[in-house]
Amino acid sequence: MINEGQRQPVRIARFSIDGNVGFGVVEGDELDVIKGHPFAEFERSGQKVPLDKVRLLPPVLPNKVVAIGRNYAEHAAELGNAVPDVPVTFFKPSTSVIGPGDPIGYPSFSQEVHHEAELAVVIGRMCREVPRERAKDVILGYTCANDITARDVQQREKQWARAKGFDSSCPLGPWVETGLEPADIAAGLAVQCTVNGEQRQLGRTSDMVRPVEDLIVHITEAMTLLPGDVILTGTPAGVGPLNVGDEVAVTIEGIGTLTNKVIKRG
Ligand code: MG
């Protein structure tokens, strides 16, 4: 739950219009174009563009997406797994990232592709070996993610690079919400997934086994995170199959909705 009235949400979208790409702050049904980029102090230009006239892009272009598996006990159990002592950590490549409204291409080498609605943490500054008390300082904000997974491939291949790293397997968006704090996440934001309007997943971020700060400590113990890198924090229970033609939507309380359609990969 979010403590209403304390903070103004600031939503930063990346967009294209007439062949130009930029960042803007979402204000109602408009974007206020920003000068520069959101990883430093930036100014709003005052130049407004209507949201329905732009194409929203993935809100960041990550150098890497670091994903955490089995971070909700009920989801671990539904696939017959225990919650691991050490977090399961894997990568999704930059080439797997797509934006809101972009198609998810069903890969030819799988017969069972699943949705996984997840809270995504967007990193705001270069960091490594981050102490827990500094973790919130390296976060730019949060967005919605769908950790699209070829479940059959995941089960038969030892590493998950193909199962979770194929092109278009990492929808991100619709924007980065910078007004949330780790305390809001710990208090429990609703994470929902619908397929063709029917609810498939509904969890709360308060049910994460390891909170966001712990994940940042764990990951940066091993590697440097760069501005725009993304951490996927795991999915709640209710994962299930997607079919060509389905429309899948991830909604996170206080952030927004990320919608993508599944197409046959050409
Ligand atoms: Mg996942």
Side-chain angles (χ1 to χ4, degrees):
M1 246 139 354
I2 304 163
N3 296 317
E4 298 293 346
Q6 284 191 331
R7 288 180 296 272
Q8 283 288 11
V10 178
R11 294 177 168 167
I12 301 171
R14 193 169 146 266
F15 68 95
S16 73
I17 187 168
D18 301 331
N20 298 306
V21 173
F23 290 95
V25 175
V26 180
E27 287 180 339
D29 54 5
E30 290 183 321
L31 279 173
D32 188 348
V33 179
I34 67 175
K35 294 181 186 170
H37 60 77
F39 301 105
E41 291 292 313
F42 62 82
E43 272 180 62
R44 301 184 188 201
S45 70
Q47 182 199 340
K48 306 279 178 76
V49 287
L51 260 177
D52 63 4
K53 292 282 186 294
V54 305
R55 176 179 168 212
L56 289 182
L57 302 172
V60 285
L61 287 176
N63 172 269
K64 56 190 169 298
V65 176
V66 187
I68 301 298
R70 299 171 192 160
N71 200 28
Y72 288 77
E74 274 185 43
H75 165 65
E78 74 180 340
L79 296 179
N81 298 304
V83 171
D85 293 337
V86 177
V88 177
T89 309
F90 58 96
F91 290 118
K92 291 173 84 80
S94 57
T95 44
S96 68
V97 172
I98 59 172
D102 289 341
I104 298 164
Y106 201 109
S108 58
F109 55 89
S110 172
Q111 277 70 52
E112 191 186 4
V113 170
H114 280 194
H115 53 81
E116 294 191 1
E118 308 201 7
L119 175 77
V121 181
V122 178
I123 297 299
R125 59 171 74 168
M126 187 167 120
C127 59
R128 69 181 176 90
E129 294 177 9
V130 178
R132 195 177 196 285
E133 64 275 14
R134 298 289 311 279
K136 67 176 187 331
D137 302 337
V138 307
I139 299 171
L140 175 67
Y142 300 87
T143 191
C144 307
N146 203 336
D147 176 18
I148 301 289
T149 301
R151 193 70 69 202
D152 50 351
V153 179
Q154 184 190 26
Q155 282 158 357
R156 66 176 181 250
E157 297 186 6
K158 189 161 183 180
Q159 296 217 356
W160 301 349
R162 293 195 335 140
K164 283 176 171 284
F166 60 86
D167 289 357
S168 74
S169 64
C170 191
L172 292 177
W175 39 63
V176 180
E177 168 58 66
T178 66
L180 295 168
E181 297 285 341
D184 299 311
I185 311 303
L189 305 179
V191 177
Q192 186 192 40
C193 181
T194 64
V195 177
N196 305 324
E198 184 183 309
Q199 186 172 290
R200 294 275 191 89
Q201 295 182 270
L202 178 60
R204 288 208 167 262
T205 54
S206 45
D207 291 328
M208 283 185 197
V209 175
R210 294 177 182 85
V212 166
E213 298 101 311
D214 290 5
L215 299 179
I216 289 173
V217 171
H218 187 69
I219 292 164
T220 64
E221 195 175 60
M223 71 191 78
T224 299
L225 292 176
L226 300 176
D229 279 352
V230 169
I231 298 172
L232 304 192
T233 57
T235 197
V239 300
L242 291 169
N243 295 301
V244 170
D246 283 348
E247 187 176 81
V248 59
V250 175
T251 300
I252 302 181
E253 183 183 3
I255 301 175
T257 297
L258 167 68
T259 305
N260 300 89
K261 202 161 179 178
V262 183
I263 63 161
K264 193 169 174 350
R265 189 149 120 186

